[in-house]
Amino acid sequence: MRIIYDANEMHSIADKHREWRKIIGFVPTMGYLHEGHLSLVRQARRDNDVVFVSIFVNPLQFAPNEDFDRYPRNLKRDEELLKREGADFLFYPSVEDMYPEGFQTYVEVEKLTKVLEGKSRPTHFRGVTTVVAKLFNITKPHKAYFGKKDAQQLIVLKKMVRDLNMGIEIIGMPIVREEDGLAMSSRNKYLKGEERNQAVCLFKALKKTEELIAGGEDDVSAIVSEMRKVIEGYPLAEIDYISVNRISDLSELERIEKGNTLVSLAVRIGNTRLIDNMWF
Ligand code: PAF
């Protein structure tokens, strides 16, 4: 696996692979890789001739009060993991290369980014869509892989690609969970002792929803109130939101629509904000 630090060099490598008619699979990440990321790389390896992965902790998607500086980083470990999964190129740009002085062009998806995570993190998605558009321009993939854990991100990026005719297939991959059900996330590293135990409450609340829906419940307010009860059983947990939305446009639902419903929640455990979801 080759590590490329420079955007122009990565761009020419992508051009060459396009010339050679290779199918390019791309997995954008912010590093500190876990099984969730590796499942994306594995799928990319199966589907494509060449696999590009990027690691870039994107300052644009963090608000000033968020964890950009302390976001976990470990290039050596990530490099080893990616080699083992058979990634071909790791793109590892600097902030200066991605956002040189005078940078002033942004990509914004409007309505879909105003709800859910967008309410609590109003500048987040503009950072995500801008960096992903740049990464797509640099790596020129045919297919790009994202986890369903960041459900809204996946929906927003699909919209961006469609609206801007990017011609890239966006593939959403299942959430990978720890043994107790906690969704894998680089931020789980922040959870200490009892916080880690109580972080399972998001999954427990979603499991409750799964049971209720399987039993025929379709009333959203009844489901949300049961989810609240589950989380209230965990004293370290503080709910940011619990929401039930239509997948196609993220509008709020009053009744479950089978095949088009996203149940998602954000919960603070101590200082760590966790998100999770299930698709029904
Ligand atoms: O999901 C992530 O890790 C990031 O939001 C992404 C897509 C790599 C953009 O920085």
Side-chain angles (χ1 to χ4, degrees):
M1 183 182 75
R2 274 181 63 198
I3 306 187
I4 310 297
Y5 298 91
D6 179 71
N8 288 330
E9 190 183 353
M10 189 70 243
H11 197 276
S12 352
I13 290 170
D15 273 344
K16 288 247 161 60
H17 283 83
R18 283 273 178 169
E19 251 171 63
W20 298 332
R21 302 244 173 274
K22 299 289 181 200
I23 302 296
I24 303 173
F26 177 46
V27 183
T29 81
M30 297 205 300
Y32 210 72
L33 305 177
H34 50 68
E35 264 306 306
H37 298 111
L38 300 180
S39 73
L40 308 182
V41 178
R42 268 172 226 139
Q43 189 62 43
R45 186 68 283 167
R46 284 193 285 271
D47 294 349
N48 301 279
D49 298 322
V50 62
V51 175
F52 297 170
V53 178
S54 66
I55 295 182
F56 179 61
V57 185
N58 172 33
L60 217 60
Q61 69 190 74
F62 291 80
N65 61 332
E66 291 182 352
D67 55 344
F68 174 71
D69 287 328
R70 69 182 190 117
Y71 195 85
R73 294 158 167 91
N74 190 339
L75 178 61
K76 274 280 147 261
R77 181 177 157 277
D78 289 348
E79 206 184 314
E80 280 315 307
L81 291 169
L82 291 173
K83 270 189 203 155
R84 224 180 289 162
E85 296 303 336
D88 297 296
F89 290 89
L90 168 59
F91 179 46
Y92 187 74
S94 65
V95 172
E96 294 70 35
D97 196 15
M98 290 296 276
Y99 302 118
E101 227 186 285
F103 182 88
Q104 53 181 294
T105 306
Y106 300 89
V107 176
E108 189 156 2
V109 172
E110 290 190 338
K111 285 193 198 139
L112 291 177
T113 61
K114 301 293 179 280
V115 296
L116 300 172
E117 285 299 286
K119 268 197 203 152
S120 311
R121 308 180 72 192
T123 58
H124 172 68
F125 286 111
R126 183 171 97 136
V128 171
T129 43
T130 301
V131 81
V132 172
K134 279 174 70 72
L135 290 167
F136 283 174
N137 285 337
I138 295 166
T139 60
K140 299 178 178 270
H142 295 85
K143 297 179 190 189
Y145 298 79
F146 297 87
K148 283 188 166 176
K149 154 106 183 344
D150 293 303
Q152 189 177 8
Q153 168 172 282
L154 176 61
I155 291 165
V156 165
L157 290 171
K158 280 191 173 170
K159 186 77 182 135
M160 174 185 83
V161 163
R162 216 174 21 246
D163 284 356
L164 298 182
N165 303 87
M166 289 178 159
I168 296 165
E169 188 184 345
I170 301 292
I171 295 159
M173 294 288 293
I175 297 177
V176 179
R177 297 182 179 280
E178 303 286 355
E179 229 162 80
D180 66 353
L182 174 65
M184 290 203 183
S185 161
S186 308
R187 288 191 168 100
N188 292 350
K189 177 184 170 16
Y190 302 149
L191 298 165
K192 298 286 175 269
E194 188 48 26
E195 291 179 350
R196 170 60 190 85
N197 297 335
Q198 296 200 13
V200 75
C201 68
L202 289 88
F203 178 64
K204 295 279 186 211
L206 289 165
K207 277 308 262 185
K208 181 79 199 172
T209 301
E210 199 175 42
E211 268 169 46
L212 290 167
I213 293 177
E217 180 63 84
D218 74 343
D219 178 37
V220 164
S221 55
I223 290 171
V224 170
S225 115
E226 288 300 315
M227 289 177 78
R228 279 189 183 278
K229 276 191 213 151
V230 172
I231 298 200
E232 280 160 12
Y234 294 81
L236 296 180
E238 193 196 314
I239 299 171
D240 181 351
Y241 66 79
I242 298 176
S243 194
V244 179
N245 299 68
R246 188 174 282 127
I247 290 170
S248 52
D249 60 6
L250 292 184
S251 58
E252 282 182 23
L253 286 173
E254 286 178 3
R255 302 240 158 237
I256 300 295
E257 283 177 11
K258 286 269 167 66
N260 195 17
T261 298
L262 172 70
V263 178
S264 62
L265 72 169
V267 174
R268 273 184 196 286
I269 309 281
N271 290 327
T272 308
R273 186 172 177 281
L274 300 175
I275 57 171
D276 202 348
N277 66 75
M278 277 188 191
W279 305 51
F280 294 94

